[in-house]
Amino acid sequence: MVNQHYRLSPDAICQELGGETVILDLNSDFYFGLDETGTRIWQLLESGQSSEEVLQSMLSEYDTTEQQLRADLNRFLDSLLSAKLIEPTQP
Amino acid sequence: MSYHSIISHREMVFDDNRNTIYQAALKESVKPGDRVMDLGAGLGLHGYMASTLGASEVCLVDPSPVLFAAQKMLADNPVFRFCHNKIEEAEPGGKYDVIVSVLTGNFLLTEDLLPSLFYARDHYLKSGGILVPGSARMLVCPVTADKFFTDNIEQWDNSLYGLPAGQLRQYAENSIYFARFEQADAQPLCEPGCLMELDFYTATDTSCRETVTMTATETGPCHGVLGWFDAKLGNQSLSTGPMAAPTHWSHAFMPLPEPVAVNKGDTITFSLNRPEYGDWTWTVNIAKRQFRGSTFLGQVHTIDRMKRLGPTHVPELGLRGKALVYLLEQIQAGQTRKALTTSLRKQHPETFHSDAQAQAFVADIINRYC
């Protein structure tokens, strides 16, 4: 995983409730849902953390291996990128 | 909105301002011998007006049971035909010279009725035929609406017997309020801006992704943006705005999260994103600040509900769904109403805890589908 900063799409409207997040993307008019883990990653990205920093934060919070988490995080970031909910940016 | 009771049509059918303009437009449009469709006819008033102007045939189309009330009033007149169905499923037969409709919702797009008008136009309007109305515009205006804002937004800040209701204010800020505003209740800060214009003869899409820029002509606090529509019916104009004579249509108030001071000469930009059948999202740039509200944020969502909206969701039948499938099969097999109720109760005891519940379910399904 390349260490990368991301910017949340300004066209994504989010609502967090009970640890889960629902998103309306104004560009596509599609709705998305993030579970508790996805919500935590979303929050960390929103706070300006890079992908590597998100990984380290999640490792300190969740009982999992780095290898597993790295694979899950990669998959998750890919899905956010393909849905255009995030885009790579400079720190 | 439900249009299933006669009473729910009272405000519309007795809306004199609307009726006068429709009548004038029909006088311009309907020629003796014309075939006229009254789409979303309700009690059939506009179709009746067309008949008095010499239409040789008037087809009233409406899925609501109130059409039977129209039929009761007009059955003796051979000019009338009645299609008790949605236009997409009706068989009105042939092409029409004029299609008259009132499928313009509040702020034009609410209720998403216009796609049915476009369907009727594409399938049943003669070449060179007339649509009444023929076009409409969505208009917006930033307003000072102090009392409304206090009553509907700031009220949430008050403690409710100690319950911290202020946490819910964000839902109030992200809701659209449909109400009728007098000028005194919502003082305009600008000349109204035209957000979108729809030509009903050519339009195919009723989604809105438009922006309008306005210049403040007054100084005062802005509490939100008021939206409405006006329509052209031949040479007649119908406005549902707060400055016009009142009609049965409501205005749409899209609040800002807080009052913002506006000075004469300030630029105010308003954008609306509203896909067909979707959420309303409004963005206001005012006094160098940007505010965004969305009905998406005005509702309590759960991830489960969101999943249900997703295109890849595979739904499963719940208990009532299974009961419905069973009931439809029994109906198709030719069972009596009594037998249907008895067998439904027996087969689905976990869904229907009394005969009365099963009876009500059967009655509802029969009314809907049989």
Side-chain angles (χ1 to χ4, degrees), chain B residues 71-370:
Chain B
Q71 197 162 358
K72 189 175 170 185
M73 293 188 286
L74 301 169
D76 291 341
N77 190 333
V79 165
F80 292 98
R81 293 180 56 223
F82 302 89
C83 282
H84 182 225
N85 219 332
K86 293 177 180 175
I87 186 63
E88 293 84 352
E89 295 163 23
E91 293 178 0
K95 300 269 187 179
Y96 288 79
D97 299 285
V98 177
I99 296 178
V100 57
S101 67
V102 193
L103 298 187
T104 42
N106 296 325
F107 199 20
L108 191 59
L109 303 182
T110 56
E111 299 183 73
D112 288 288
L113 299 170
L114 287 173
S116 292
L117 172 60
F118 301 158
Y119 181 93
R121 173 200 67 199
D122 294 344
H123 291 79
Y124 301 115
L125 185 66
K126 282 183 183 172
S127 173
I130 296 173
L131 295 173
V132 178
S135 65
R137 299 187 305 162
M138 296 172 79
L139 295 146
V140 292
C141 186
V143 292
T144 296
D146 201 10
K147 185 172 185 317
F148 190 88
F149 194 84
T150 303
D151 290 350
N152 291 278
I153 309 291
E154 290 179 340
Q155 186 182 42
W156 287 97
D157 293 336
N158 300 330
S159 164
L160 266 176
Y161 301 92
L163 185 74
Q167 291 179 17
L168 306 180
R169 175 174 165 148
Q170 58 173 311
Y171 294 101
E173 293 168 1
N174 285 285
S175 297
I176 292 192
Y177 297 84
F178 291 100
R180 256 169 267 172
F181 288 82
E182 304 290 330
Q183 253 185 301
D185 307 325
Q187 294 140 13
L189 291 162
C190 301
E191 289 298 317
C194 177
L195 183 66
M196 186 170 87
E197 182 156 10
L198 271 185
D199 181 345
F200 295 165
Y201 287 92
T202 55
T204 53
D205 180 14
T206 59
S207 59
C208 177
R209 285 177 188 270
E210 302 291 343
T211 298
V212 60
T213 299
M214 296 159 279
T215 303
T217 53
E218 305 291 334
T219 294
C222 180
H223 295 96
V225 175
L226 206 62
W228 66 91
F229 76 91
D230 64 18
K232 289 290 281 182
L233 302 83
N235 293 316
Q236 308 296 318
S237 297
L238 168 68
S239 175
T240 66
M243 287 75 101
T247 67
H248 74 276
W249 280 281
S250 296
H251 309 126
F253 178 72
M254 292 154 281
L256 295 175
E258 61 191 74
V260 178
V262 169
N263 292 309
K264 191 173 176 178
D266 282 355
T267 297
I268 302 172
T269 303
F270 176 85
S271 303
L272 183 70
N273 182 313
R274 202 275 171 161
E276 283 183 9
Y277 306 98
D279 280 296
W280 299 72
T281 301
W282 58 99
T283 307
V284 185
N285 285 289
I286 185 170
K288 296 180 181 166
R289 296 167 71 190
Q290 185 178 78
F291 300 93
R292 180 184 275 169
S294 176
T295 53
F296 176 71
L297 300 176
Q299 306 159 58
V300 179
H301 295 289
T302 63
I303 203 164
D304 187 48
R305 183 170 171 272
M306 283 297 108
K307 280 180 187 163
R308 286 163 176 258
L309 294 174
T312 55
H313 176 63
V314 180
E316 287 177 20
L317 285 178
L319 288 177
R320 287 180 78 82
K322 287 174 183 165
L324 174 61
V325 170
Y326 173 79
L327 179 59
L328 292 174
E329 284 169 358
Q330 297 305 304
I331 289 172
Q332 215 155 23
Q335 299 284 329
T336 64
R337 190 172 181 138
K338 189 178 176 187
L340 290 169
T341 306
T342 308
S343 63
L344 182 68
R345 174 93 205 277
K346 196 174 165 190
Q347 292 296 319
H348 294 271
E350 69 285 6
T351 307
F352 304 104
H353 302 293
S354 69
D355 288 345
Q357 279 183 342
Q359 224 162 17
F361 188 76
V362 170
D364 181 41
I365 298 309
I366 289 174
N367 284 338
R368 279 171 192 253
Y369 303 116
C370 302

Side-chain angles (χ1 to χ4, degrees), chain A residues 56-72:
Chain A
Q56 295 309 319
S57 297
M58 298 290 286
L59 273 173
S60 68
E61 295 175 22
Y62 290 83
D63 183 18
T64 182
T65 65
E66 180 171 341
Q67 189 186 12
Q68 180 63 52
L69 186 58
R70 196 175 283 278
D72 291 346

Side-chain angles (χ1 to χ4, degrees), chain A residues 1-7 45 48-54 77 81 86-91:
Chain A
M1 180 169 67
V2 181
N3 191 22
Q4 176 71 57
H5 279 85
Y6 294 96
R7 185 175 78 107
L45 292 172
Q49 290 197 4
S50 68
S51 51
E52 196 58 39
E53 288 166 335
V54 170
L77 291 173
L81 279 165
I86 60 171
E87 57 185 52
T89 186
Q90 299 301 316

